[in-house]
Amino acid sequence: MKILLSVSVALLAGLLMTRLFKRLKLPSVTAYLVAGVLIGPYCIGGLGINGLGFESHGSVEALSLISEVALGFIAFSIGNEFRLNDLKKTGKQAFAIGILQAVGALLIVDIVLIGVHFIIPDKLSISQAITLGAIATATAPAATLMVVRQYKAKGPLTKLLLPIVALDDAVGLVAFAVSFGIAQTLASTNGTVNIMSIIVNPLVEIVCSLILGALMGVFLTHLEKLFNSNTNRLNLTIAFVFLTASISMLDFHIGAIHIHFSSLLVCMMLGTVFCNICPLSYDLMAAADKWTSPLFALFFVISGAELELSVFADIAIVIIGIVYIIFRCIGKYYGAFLSAKAVKCSPAICKYLGITLFPQAGVALGMCATAMQLGVQGELIRNITLFAVLIYELFGPVFTRMALTAAGEIKPISDEVKMRRQNKLEAAKNKDLE
């Protein structure tokens, strides 16, 4: 009962907050996150009134299954952006920009934070600086996708953006594995380099994730043929995303090799294969998107409740966090700008693409969880990442909307559409009076 009450309160709080944020012309993603903070353990939840909010981070973690499922559907939806017909036009550009913008953020943050280390060596070690540089590569696909959907963004920038955000996950995993392996070597007393953890394990994770997702996509397509009703096909598609997300949580060893999967990559590959080989994928993807709307709203409210506000208590974390945030944005922006120019994208894409890559959340949090293996040094990495995620998730969607609007891919509602909506409302009122 308590979990069901928490889910209903979270969803209602998020939806009501969107009404306020609509007046302020801010994205719904930001409204959901703020609603989560307000009903979280640092605000209303902290009052201890049963059912009114999340009393502790433990009560938020009880809903972690919703977050896992939502991420699965988000990745599945992004996989739909990898249709071969579209990739023939933008594939090379997306691939080049996806790699170079991530490397740009990594290098800029590494250089600046290593410089900070020499200024305040007792607060930030080189291992921590290198690890944070790798975490800087990660971009949040969920926030970007929600902004694109809410405002029905359409155009060359949007077509290029979603594949880049999806590719960013794979690039980030490799960059983090290499950087973190070096950081562990620097932090250890014997200084030995573990080639297995630096190179082999991350490559195994990416390859295994893509193979598993592809197999599940082929399997789903064949099973769809057993049903004639689109309703049953939609049910099967939803069940398959659940199944794929759960299988991707498997974790085991074969000798010295650690076999585990990235749920984002697995579900993304499921969507990619499915949309390319299933003739009914357009209709089923569109129907699945409507079904997942409340699930995504819950995901962001829960994400807001998870944000750790206590990091503001340490001035060192705030200062290093601000440096990290500013220079990650610079790295993302100029990495995207220069690479987009190199592959001959339009001026609008060169100018605004980098701004849409600012949001950061799930993948970065997963990386900082791994960074906890550094012990005490990992605590600082975790807190700086949490601080950055808080800022990025609240303001990143706003910048994404502004960039897409400036690029002309979010169109203002026309007077004709406004009049049509007003007429519908008046007709509904008149019907109620009758």
Side-chain angles (χ1 to χ4, degrees):
M1 176 183 172
K2 192 173 181 180
I3 291 177
L4 190 59
L5 184 61
S6 297
V7 168
S8 60
V9 168
L11 189 53
L12 284 170
L15 291 173
L16 291 173
M17 190 62 70
T18 60
R19 297 305 87 198
L20 173 62
F21 274 58
K22 188 176 182 181
R23 292 177 181 273
L24 300 173
K25 296 183 178 179
L26 294 172
S28 294
V29 177
T30 306
Y32 294 139
L33 289 163
V34 171
V37 171
L38 290 177
I39 65 172
Y42 291 99
C43 295
I44 295 173
L47 299 175
I49 301 172
N50 192 23
L52 197 58
F54 297 105
E55 299 170 20
S56 66
H57 283 290
S59 59
V60 181
E61 288 172 8
L63 301 180
S64 59
L65 181 62
I66 293 174
S67 297
E68 291 291 339
V69 172
L71 280 173
F73 278 100
I74 287 164
F76 181 68
S77 297
I78 290 176
N80 192 37
E81 302 302 322
F82 284 93
R83 291 184 181 271
L84 291 178
N85 291 335
D86 295 332
L87 286 178
K88 287 176 183 177
K89 303 172 186 175
T90 62
K92 290 180 181 177
Q93 291 178 330
F95 187 78
I97 297 169
I99 293 174
L100 293 175
Q101 57 82 25
V103 173
L106 182 146
L107 291 176
I108 293 291
V109 174
D110 269 356
I111 292 167
V112 171
L113 289 185
I114 289 172
V116 171
H117 158 74
F118 287 111
I119 298 170
I120 45 173
D122 57 322
K123 293 291 184 182
L124 186 73
S125 69
I126 291 181
S127 293
Q128 290 168 324
I130 291 172
T131 304
L132 284 167
I135 293 173
T137 60
T139 302
T144 305
L145 181 65
M146 282 289 285
V147 171
V148 168
R149 282 189 183 175
Q150 180 187 350
Y151 295 101
K152 297 180 174 61
K154 197 176 291 185
L157 174 56
T158 305
K159 281 186 178 179
L160 196 59
L161 170 62
L162 293 176
I164 288 172
V165 170
L167 180 65
D168 193 79
D169 184 26
V171 177
L173 283 172
V174 174
F176 178 78
V178 174
S179 296
F180 187 62
I182 295 169
Q184 282 181 308
T185 303
L186 293 172
S188 66
T189 54
N190 56 24
T192 56
V193 178
N194 188 345
I195 299 297
M196 192 66 69
S197 64
I198 293 177
I199 299 174
V200 177
N201 284 335
L203 290 177
V204 168
E205 178 179 353
I206 292 169
V207 171
C208 288
S209 297
L210 295 178
I211 291 173
L212 176 60
L215 291 174
M216 296 299 283
V218 172
F219 194 27
L220 171 60
T221 303
H222 284 297
L223 285 179
E224 295 283 8
K225 297 174 184 176
L226 300 176
F227 300 94
N228 297 319
S229 163
N230 274 348
T231 301
N232 287 335
R233 286 172 177 154
L234 174 61
N235 293 339
L236 176 65
T237 304
I238 292 168
F240 236 77
V241 177
F242 274 91
L243 177 63
T244 304
S246 63
I247 293 175
S248 66
M249 295 179 190
L250 291 174
D251 194 324
F252 54 93
H253 286 81
I254 298 178
I257 299 175
H258 183 198
I259 306 293
H260 60 118
F261 306 94
S262 163
S263 60
L264 279 173
L265 279 179
V266 174
C267 293
M268 184 189 73
M269 195 63 179
L270 168 69
T272 300
V273 172
F274 177 65
C275 77
N276 280 290
I277 66 175
C278 180
L280 301 167
S281 62
Y282 276 104
D283 293 337
L284 292 173
M285 285 281 195
D289 288 346
K290 293 177 182 177
W291 180 88
T292 53
S293 179
L295 185 65
F296 289 178
L298 266 174
F299 168 75
F300 285 106
V301 175
I302 293 168
S303 298
E306 285 177 329
L307 293 176
E308 188 69 67
L309 302 187
S310 62
V311 295
F312 288 109
D314 190 333
I315 190 65
I317 289 174
V318 173
I319 292 171
I320 297 170
I322 290 171
V323 171
Y324 169 85
I325 289 166
I326 291 171
F327 285 95
R328 176 184 175 271
C329 289
I330 291 172
K332 284 284 181 183
Y333 181 82
Y334 283 102
F337 178 83
L338 295 173
S339 56
K341 211 161 189 179
V343 294
K344 299 179 180 177
C345 291
S346 68
I349 291 175
C350 295
K351 187 175 181 180
Y352 297 112
L353 177 61
I355 299 172
T356 63
L357 299 173
F358 290 168
Q360 187 177 48
V363 177
L365 293 176
M367 290 176 178
C368 77
T370 303
M372 291 299 290
Q373 294 174 22
L374 292 175
V376 177
Q377 293 193 45
E379 283 287 340
L380 180 70
I381 294 168
R382 177 181 176 274
N383 289 336
I384 290 171
T385 306
L386 287 170
F387 172 73
V389 165
L390 172 64
I391 303 302
Y392 281 131
E393 283 299 90
L394 291 177
F395 297 102
V398 178
F399 283 114
T400 299
R401 180 187 65 80
M402 290 168 62
L404 291 173
T405 302
E409 304 201 0
I410 293 178
K411 307 292 183 185
I413 300 173
S414 65
D415 292 336
E416 183 183 345
V417 173
K418 288 180 181 176
M419 185 65 72
R420 199 181 304 143
R421 289 181 180 177
Q422 188 64 34
N423 291 338
K424 283 183 179 179
L425 286 172
E426 289 177 2
K429 286 179 183 177
N430 293 333
K431 190 174 182 181
D432 289 339
L433 291 173
E434 292 173 2

